[in-house]
Amino acid sequence: MYYQSSKFRRWQGVESDRRGASRASLTLSNVNRTHLVTENYFTYDNTIGKHEIAAVVGMGAESWETNVNGSFGAGYSSDLLQTISAADPLTVTANSQNYKETLMSFFGRFNYAFDDAKYLASISLRTDGSSVFGPNNKYGFFPAASIGWNIHKESFLEDIDAINTLKFRVSYGATGNQGINSLESLGRADDTPYVFNGVTVGGSTASSRLPNPNLKWETTTTFNIGLDFKLFNNLFEGTVEYYKANTTDLLLDRSIAGTTGFAVTR
């Protein structure tokens, strides 16, 4: 469990602006954030002759809850009264936000090595579900696999002293990104206070964001092939490799035609 609390206070004094007291203002905010995480897994390791096996399966869960409270006031007549209640009532605004994000994960990994790690293979499977996405696509599936060959352990290279390590490897896998706030898939109203009969009252207008119930994980797939080497008693080492990554379903705003009544969507 992780808990964080932060406070912000900004006072802009009466003499800070040439327009005088009307520009004096006070901004207050308080942010509390709680992060809970749990992870449970089982592991298995065994060696059978020349075969080495290692496996892990498990699940994890995380939640983030954030509470934000803020207020603003302006029109102070003196630097001695630095409170919201001393501000001009027509300028006072307050806001409060509370939102929660959750993540559920299931994962498994299988590693295999044969003949003193001469040949290597690994497979991993992962499913993550996040509350920030639309109701139709909360879960994403992210597999990965790799193979390796320690060529220097082959009999035809055992007598070549100049080669200390020579490893060929190939891997392919997918990873996900959920880096958006919890409201991005929803349509919502924008807070728009207005003055009615000399009193500031709360109001709202329709958001310019089009809801997207199909919003889903941003996925990056990578392919990598490489050759690692160490030569002359490890005096000289390096890597030759080819790497390619492709990202789909980018979590970026997209402009849409104004005739829809909206401006952007995810």
Side-chain angles (χ1 to χ4, degrees):
M1 176 180 177
Y2 174 77
Y3 176 78
Q4 181 182 31
S5 179
S6 61
K7 294 183 178 181
F8 173 82
R9 184 182 188 277
R10 181 177 184 270
W11 168 254
Q12 182 173 309
V14 173
E15 297 182 359
S16 63
D17 191 288
R18 64 182 181 180
R19 285 167 288 188
S22 64
R23 308 302 297 177
S25 65
L26 175 65
T27 304
L28 301 174
S29 67
N30 184 32
V31 179
N32 296 313
R33 186 173 174 88
T34 303
H35 180 202
L36 300 175
V37 58
T38 180
E39 190 171 89
N40 303 280
Y41 57 89
F42 299 94
T43 61
Y44 173 80
D45 294 277
N46 197 10
T47 300
I48 306 173
K50 292 184 177 182
H51 306 273
E52 298 177 40
I53 299 171
V56 58
V57 293
M59 61 84 64
E62 293 184 68
S63 70
W64 298 262
E65 184 169 6
T66 304
N67 292 281
V68 181
N69 294 288
S71 56
F72 173 84
Y76 290 86
S77 60
S78 171
D79 289 330
L80 299 178
L81 298 174
Q82 298 182 17
T83 63
I84 294 296
S85 59
D88 181 346
L90 295 178
T91 68
V92 174
T93 59
N95 66 82
S96 180
Q97 301 178 46
N98 177 268
Y99 52 91
K100 186 175 183 179
E101 301 174 16
T102 56
L103 176 69
M104 177 71 74
S105 303
F106 302 92
F107 55 87
R109 184 177 66 250
F110 177 81
N111 295 330
Y112 173 75
F114 177 70
D115 196 9
D116 191 27
K118 184 186 297 184
Y119 309 107
L120 306 166
S122 179
I123 297 176
S124 65
L125 304 173
R126 184 180 186 96
T127 296
D128 294 302
S130 175
S131 62
V132 303
F133 295 111
N136 299 334
N137 285 307
K138 289 191 178 297
Y139 280 86
F141 178 60
F142 309 106
S146 65
I147 58 173
W149 178 23
N150 282 307
I151 309 173
H152 64 282
K153 293 187 176 183
E154 296 288 355
S155 58
F156 57 81
L157 288 181
E158 287 181 347
D159 297 329
I160 302 179
D161 296 333
I163 299 178
N164 305 115
T165 298
L166 186 62
K167 181 181 180 181
F168 174 77
R169 51 184 169 77
V170 179
S171 64
Y172 178 86
T175 58
N177 174 30
Q178 58 161 344
I180 57 175
N181 70 51
S182 58
L183 304 176
E184 293 299 316
S185 68
L186 306 176
R188 57 188 188 272
D190 294 330
D191 182 25
T192 311
Y194 62 97
V195 178
F196 180 75
N197 285 337
V199 179
T200 301
V201 296
S204 60
T205 57
S207 173
S208 60
R209 180 179 298 278
L210 176 67
N212 182 8
N214 296 314
L215 184 66
K216 59 183 178 179
W217 288 80
E218 177 181 296
T219 302
T220 299
T221 56
T222 58
F223 173 76
N224 179 246
I225 182 170
L227 184 69
D228 305 322
F229 57 86
K230 294 182 180 180
L231 308 174
F232 307 114
N233 199 26
N234 298 325
L235 183 63
F236 180 68
E237 62 180 86
T239 296
V240 178
E241 63 183 310
Y242 170 80
Y243 177 89
K244 183 178 181 180
N246 183 50
T247 302
T248 58
D249 302 312
L250 292 171
L251 296 175
L252 300 175
D253 282 343
R254 291 175 292 154
S255 298
I256 55 179
T259 54
T260 63
F262 300 91
V264 295
T265 188
R266 282 278 186 175

